[in-house]
Amino acid sequence: MSHPTPVEPGHVAAVEKDAVESVVHLMPLVLPIAGGVLMLLLASIAIYVA
């Protein structure tokens, strides 16, 4: 578990923003779109091979 260091109110800008937390809110949109694209690509490859 992480133990973040306490931040003084005047030093909020010095805190690093977590890259994962900045992307997590996009997952409900990105995952279905990526899954749909992947399914279309795999289906087109299957049709091409057959």
Side-chain angles (χ1 to χ4, degrees):
M1 292 198 328
S2 65
H3 299 286
T5 58
V7 178
E8 296 178 18
H11 297 92
V12 176
V15 177
E16 294 182 18
K17 189 170 185 181
D18 190 14
V20 174
E21 290 181 5
S22 65
V23 176
V24 166
H25 68 278
L26 294 175
M27 283 299 133
L29 295 174
V30 172
L31 288 178
I33 291 171
V37 169
L38 183 61
M39 285 178 10
L40 287 173
L41 288 172
L42 290 172
S44 64
I45 291 170
I47 291 170
Y48 177 75
V49 169

